[in-house]
Amino acid sequence: MPLSGIQIYKLLPQTNCRECGFPTCLAFAMKLAAKQAELSACPYVSEASKSQLAESAAPPMRLVTLKAAGGEVKVGNETVLFRHDKTFYNRPGLFLRVDDSLSAAEIQAKVAQAEAYKVAYVGMDLTLDGYAVTSTSGSPETFAVAVQAVRQSSRRPLLLDSRQPQVVAAGLQSLAGETPLICSADASNWEAMTSLAKQHPAALVVAAPTLDELADLTQKIKARGVEDLVLDPEAHTLGQWVSASTQLRRLALKKNFRPLGYPLIAFTGDDADPAREALFASQAVAKYAGFIVINHFTPASLYPLLVLRQNIYTDPQKPIQVQAGLYPVGDPKPGDPVLVTTNFSITYFSVANEIENAGRPAWLLVTDSEGMSVLTAWAAGKFDAARISKNFKEFGVADKVTSKRLVLPGHVAVISGELEEQLPGWEIRVGPREAVDIPAYMKQML
Ligand code: SF4
């Protein structure tokens, strides 16, 4: 059973020194009990207390990390059922399935195509995270060749998918120094799979059709020394997945039930229809997969999936921002105009894209509005004449631009007079309200 705040408090030094960032040891104890603080923040806990507190302080869901030369994938460590309660931390790893029934050349080509795919989204490149090599041949030699073929085209983390330990062992041979995910241990093979995961070492998927059987298996495997586990509730439909994943998340976070406190894996490609697979994968992003294995590589379904994942795993209390500054768009000269906007990234990219679409170079003054969009920032007092003028001077606009023409977003026309007073000698124009109207505005007015 987890310790209560008062029980934790009794194990702390009770000096109220504040070094943990909380005003009292009791406040820190309450945060520890709520899983909102790390025990390591207090440097004065005795070793005896530490061991007693370890169980209580551990996150309710284990963090599992896959490693390879081409990157890391971290999943788990989630603390809330709903994103709006706080945030989701570690976005699910998206893995593309590669079957060992394909030739080495076909595997290399498929992986190379997926490696080249990326979505440019508000200043980030969104990509797949790795590949799931599946054994349908049942042959260790064929599987080893398939793993090596993937490694010819990608260095991203891998999932080795076979319930035959000798097949998985063959695949692991070419992954020295990496931490892959091996899949899966079940009631019939768990001892051999556990030995493989421990020797390599690797993270291990545990599969069972019921929650009781899953919990039984994880406890037996953990007792053998393998703790980086991932749960496969063997859910093959939308209904089965949402039911299993919700129960597992509740048991882990609300009941602090350690045997099921691990990230989940969803195999969404069991449906032969790519559109239904995309639907299943979208649901798994929202509820509550740590890894998602997809069978179909189609940009039409991958694009929305990557963007959905990015949005769901963005902290709702921290808007995505770009750095404030003066940005050239389309190689502008000193005589070209300056448009002004805020540093909310979607606003920035919308405006910058529309200036590019206009085919007329311009300067874009991005003000520090704490990541808010134009109207929200204006209403919050973060996008007014004083702030624009301050950023105008800070970024040396007058030194770089001689046009002396500055265009405000139409939504904040009301501040144009005040800005004119703050920037004497500059002509303040009021542009369109919507970014989409910028090209027409620039052609007609500038
Ligand atoms: Fe108490 Fe430790 Fe925090 Fe100091 S750092 S206030 S001793 S919990």
mmCIF file of all heavy atoms in Angstrom, residues 13 15-20 25 28 42-43, ligand 1:
data_model
loop_
_atom_site.group_PDB
_atom_site.id
_atom_site.type_symbol
_atom_site.label_atom_id
_atom_site.label_comp_id
_atom_site.label_asym_id
_atom_site.label_seq_id
_atom_site.Cartn_x
_atom_site.Cartn_y
_atom_site.Cartn_z
ATOM 1 N N PRO A 13 13.250 14.581 7.403
ATOM 2 C CA PRO A 13 14.059 15.188 8.485
ATOM 3 C C PRO A 13 13.286 16.179 9.361
ATOM 4 O O PRO A 13 13.703 16.449 10.482
ATOM 5 C CB PRO A 13 15.169 15.923 7.714
ATOM 6 C CG PRO A 13 15.235 15.249 6.396
ATOM 7 C CD PRO A 13 13.849 14.800 6.083
ATOM 8 N N THR A 15 12.983 19.422 9.228
ATOM 9 C CA THR A 15 13.725 20.650 9.566
ATOM 10 C C THR A 15 13.181 21.862 8.827
ATOM 11 O O THR A 15 13.605 22.985 9.103
ATOM 12 C CB THR A 15 15.210 20.491 9.205
ATOM 13 O OG1 THR A 15 15.287 20.193 7.804
ATOM 14 C CG2 THR A 15 15.868 19.393 10.003
ATOM 15 N N ASN A 16 12.309 21.625 7.874
ATOM 16 C CA ASN A 16 11.718 22.713 7.083
ATOM 17 C C ASN A 16 12.777 23.637 6.461
ATOM 18 O O ASN A 16 12.641 24.857 6.460
ATOM 19 C CB ASN A 16 10.752 23.553 7.930
ATOM 20 C CG ASN A 16 9.605 22.707 8.462
ATOM 21 O OD1 ASN A 16 9.250 21.691 7.847
ATOM 22 N ND2 ASN A 16 9.026 23.105 9.573
ATOM 23 N N CYS A 17 13.831 23.041 5.917
ATOM 24 C CA CYS A 17 14.935 23.848 5.384
ATOM 25 C C CYS A 17 14.608 24.444 4.011
ATOM 26 O O CYS A 17 15.325 25.299 3.526
ATOM 27 C CB CYS A 17 16.193 22.996 5.285
ATOM 28 S SG CYS A 17 16.115 21.791 3.934
ATOM 29 N N ARG A 18 13.580 23.955 3.325
ATOM 30 C CA ARG A 18 13.085 24.490 2.040
ATOM 31 C C ARG A 18 13.942 24.122 0.831
ATOM 32 O O ARG A 18 13.655 24.578 -0.279
ATOM 33 C CB ARG A 18 12.979 26.018 2.071
ATOM 34 C CG ARG A 18 11.952 26.554 3.043
ATOM 35 C CD ARG A 18 12.073 28.059 3.176
ATOM 36 N NE ARG A 18 10.972 28.573 3.974
ATOM 37 C CZ ARG A 18 9.945 29.263 3.480
ATOM 38 N NH1 ARG A 18 9.881 29.505 2.198
ATOM 39 N NH2 ARG A 18 8.983 29.689 4.262
ATOM 40 N N GLU A 19 14.976 23.345 1.004
ATOM 41 C CA GLU A 19 15.847 23.072 -0.147
ATOM 42 C C GLU A 19 15.166 22.240 -1.236
ATOM 43 O O GLU A 19 15.605 22.209 -2.365
ATOM 44 C CB GLU A 19 17.132 22.363 0.310
ATOM 45 C CG GLU A 19 18.139 23.320 0.899
ATOM 46 C CD GLU A 19 19.482 22.662 1.141
ATOM 47 O OE1 GLU A 19 19.954 21.913 0.274
ATOM 48 O OE2 GLU A 19 20.045 22.895 2.221
ATOM 49 N N CYS A 20 14.102 21.585 -0.873
ATOM 50 C CA CYS A 20 13.372 20.784 -1.861
ATOM 51 C C CYS A 20 12.479 21.657 -2.742
ATOM 52 O O CYS A 20 11.878 21.183 -3.703
ATOM 53 C CB CYS A 20 12.519 19.735 -1.166
ATOM 54 S SG CYS A 20 11.405 20.465 0.046
ATOM 55 N N CYS A 25 8.503 20.482 5.320
ATOM 56 C CA CYS A 25 8.623 19.042 5.042
ATOM 57 C C CYS A 25 7.232 18.431 4.833
ATOM 58 O O CYS A 25 7.058 17.513 4.029
ATOM 59 C CB CYS A 25 9.314 18.336 6.204
ATOM 60 S SG CYS A 25 11.033 18.804 6.411
ATOM 61 N N PHE A 28 6.104 19.029 1.301
ATOM 62 C CA PHE A 28 6.829 18.126 0.409
ATOM 63 C C PHE A 28 6.262 16.709 0.508
ATOM 64 O O PHE A 28 6.071 16.024 -0.500
ATOM 65 C CB PHE A 28 8.316 18.157 0.783
ATOM 66 C CG PHE A 28 9.192 17.297 -0.085
ATOM 67 C CD1 PHE A 28 9.274 17.501 -1.455
ATOM 68 C CD2 PHE A 28 9.946 16.266 0.479
ATOM 69 C CE1 PHE A 28 10.091 16.698 -2.248
ATOM 70 C CE2 PHE A 28 10.763 15.466 -0.304
ATOM 71 C CZ PHE A 28 10.835 15.684 -1.675
ATOM 72 N N CYS A 42 14.875 16.102 -1.922
ATOM 73 C CA CYS A 42 15.325 16.337 -0.538
ATOM 74 C C CYS A 42 16.687 15.662 -0.352
ATOM 75 O O CYS A 42 16.787 14.433 -0.396
ATOM 76 C CB CYS A 42 14.342 15.759 0.474
ATOM 77 S SG CYS A 42 14.989 15.853 2.172
ATOM 78 N N PRO A 43 17.748 16.434 -0.103
ATOM 79 C CA PRO A 43 19.087 15.824 0.023
ATOM 80 C C PRO A 43 19.350 15.233 1.409
ATOM 81 O O PRO A 43 20.410 14.661 1.624
ATOM 82 C CB PRO A 43 20.034 17.009 -0.245
ATOM 83 C CG PRO A 43 19.244 18.246 0.007
ATOM 84 C CD PRO A 43 17.792 17.915 -0.097
HETATM 85 FE FE1 SF4 B 1 12.228 19.000 4.606
HETATM 86 FE FE2 SF4 B 1 14.010 17.820 3.017
HETATM 87 FE FE3 SF4 B 1 12.394 19.703 2.027
HETATM 88 FE FE4 SF4 B 1 14.332 20.347 3.761
HETATM 89 S S1 SF4 B 1 14.623 19.512 1.710
HETATM 90 S S2 SF4 B 1 12.189 21.059 3.772
HETATM 91 S S3 SF4 B 1 14.366 18.566 5.061
HETATM 92 S S4 SF4 B 1 11.791 17.730 2.848
#
